[in-house]
Every structure is written in structure tokens, then in C-alpha cells.
Amino acid sequence: MPKQSAHFLFADKTEIEDLGNGLKRQMLGYNEELMAVKVWFDKGAEGYVHKHRHSQVTYVEEGEFHFNIGGTIRVLKPGDSCLIPPNVEHGAVCPTGGILIDTFSPAREDFVSE
């Protein structure tokens, strides 16, 4: 993984990666210790249940999300956020379409290629 992103990233010049299944991702900045990512969900799109070693905080910018964290499901709306501890299974379904801002510590190495 490159050690860090550029200091300034501009939305109209930063790649938006199509992840398939109604999900897109754009890097907002990272170094080895911290990463922020913007994620678009089409209506009905699902972030599959998974787990990873990273701490994660997610902020709902737009839309409604049904978050499953460790088997507990809650509905989050714009302005809401959640904390996902390391190695806890989690996922989300977005019935409306929406946007999340995900932050990870340390950075997700699997999101960045050399």
C-alpha cells in the first residue's frame, strides 16, 4: 500500500471505483494509520456481512441504512453514525439509495493498490 494519499484530493479529479452490485467508492484520504472513504449505494444495494481487523466509524450522509453490527440491526438516517469494533461482523442494506462516509484505523490495505 502506498504510504499516503495526496494532501489535497478534489472530488472531480479523484477516481470513483465501481464495486459492482450497486456500490461505488471514492478515497477521501489515507495514510497507514487512518483512511476515509465515500461509498454510494444504489436503491436496494447491500454491503455484505463481513469483518476485518480495522476499527470503523461510519457516518450517514444521505439515505436510510439498515445496519447489522454483531447481529443487532438498527436503522440509520442522515446525520447518524455507528462504531464497528475490530473483528465484529457487520453489513448494511440501503433501501432508499444513499451515501456513507467510512473511516478506518488502521487504513484498509485492500482498498489501495501499489
Side-chain angles (χ1 to χ4, degrees):
M1 177 173 96
K3 293 200 182 287
Q4 70 179 33
S5 64
H7 289 173
F8 299 97
L9 288 93
F10 299 93
D12 63 344
K13 293 181 175 57
T14 302
E15 177 187 4
I16 297 174
E17 180 182 3
D18 188 341
L19 303 174
N21 298 316
L23 299 172
K24 293 179 184 168
R25 171 173 69 205
Q26 184 179 47
M27 303 307 254
L28 300 180
Y30 64 89
N31 62 21
E32 292 175 344
E33 298 166 354
L34 180 66
M35 174 179 278
V37 180
K38 187 172 190 175
V39 185
W40 288 265
F41 282 66
D42 288 347
K43 183 177 181 177
E46 180 176 354
Y48 66 93
V49 174
H50 65 288
K51 64 181 179 177
H52 45 74
R53 68 181 186 92
H54 313 81
S55 293
Q56 178 177 341
V57 172
T58 296
Y59 172 81
V60 178
E61 182 176 314
E62 181 179 302
E64 178 181 296
F65 290 83
H66 298 202
F67 266 89
N68 175 347
I69 301 174
T72 300
I73 298 172
R74 296 286 185 267
V75 176
L76 299 180
K77 296 182 178 181
D80 295 339
S81 60
C82 59
L83 168 68
I84 303 161
N87 300 308
V88 172
E89 289 195 338
H90 60 283
V93 176
C94 185
T96 62
I99 300 171
L100 299 177
I101 305 297
D102 286 335
T103 55
F104 301 97
S105 179
R108 292 285 304 264
E109 305 89 350
D110 54 325
F111 286 10
V112 181
S113 59
E114 292 280 346

